[in-house]
């Protein structure tokens, strides 16, 4: 990229990918890609060749950050759905585990899942308590006040 003192490009023709803002069609394709579409399907949905889309990802400085943000948004939405339905799933899991008509192999699997969930919860609480104690000890050693981030 060569720009003169007057703010104009010295070369003529189309500016390189890295010099222009990320186009809306590329943003839409990257949003589709972050939602699980293949590179070819995402590019085809916005009437673009997948090689062009891949070239944007390699060359444009904002493309990877945009793709990561979109992927994070999709994951956040998925986690929200899972969390909202967790009580119903827990009830169903307990019904399967406690139902006398459930086959033994399925009941064992359901019981293991219940205990694994309980164990993870206890471990997470213990880790949080230990982290809090370590944080307080570090702050005491440094002589600073406790700031929970």
């Amino acid at each position: 990229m060569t720009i003169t003192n007057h703010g104009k490009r010295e070369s003529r023709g189309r500016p390189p990918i890295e010099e222009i803002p990320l186009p809306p069609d590329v943003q839409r394709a990257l949003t589709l890609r972050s939602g699980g579409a293949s590179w070819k399907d995402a590019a085809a949905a916005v009437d673009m060749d997948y090689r062009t889309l891949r070239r944007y990802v390699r060359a444009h400085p904002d493309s990877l950050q945009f793709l990561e943000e979109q992927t994070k948004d999709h994951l956040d939405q998925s986690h929200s759905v899972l969390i909202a339905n967790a009580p119903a799933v827990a009830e169903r899991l307990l019904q399967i585990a406690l139902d006398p008509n459930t086959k033994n192999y399925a009941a064992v699997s359901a019981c293991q899942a219940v205990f694994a969930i309980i164990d993870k919860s206890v471990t997470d609480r213990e880790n949080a308590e230990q982290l809090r104690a370590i944080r307080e000890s570090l702050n005491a050693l440094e002589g600073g006040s406790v700031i929970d981030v």
Side-chain angles (χ1 to χ4, degrees), residues 2 19 42 79 125:
T2 310
E19 288 184 19
H79 285 136
R125 279 196 192 130

Side-chain angles (χ1 to χ4, degrees), residues 44-115:
V46 296
D47 200 28
M48 175 187 297
D49 185 64
Y50 80 95
R51 290 175 290 231
T52 303
L53 180 59
R54 295 294 299 223
R55 188 169 49 248
Y56 265 97
V57 171
R58 281 191 307 274
H60 200 285
D62 298 334
S63 62
L64 283 176
Q65 180 182 356
F66 183 84
L67 183 60
E68 287 173 8
E69 287 173 4
Q70 293 301 311
T71 302
K72 184 180 177 300
D73 287 345
H74 279 101
L75 285 172
D76 288 346
Q77 291 172 7
S78 298
H79 285 136
S80 294
V81 169
L82 291 172
I83 290 168
N85 289 296
V89 171
E91 277 296 319
R92 177 73 175 122
L93 185 57
L94 285 174
Q95 287 174 356
I96 292 169
L98 299 174
D99 186 355
N101 295 326
T102 301
K103 299 284 187 192
N104 288 337
Y105 64 88
V108 167
S109 179
C111 290
Q112 286 173 334
V114 169
F115 285 117

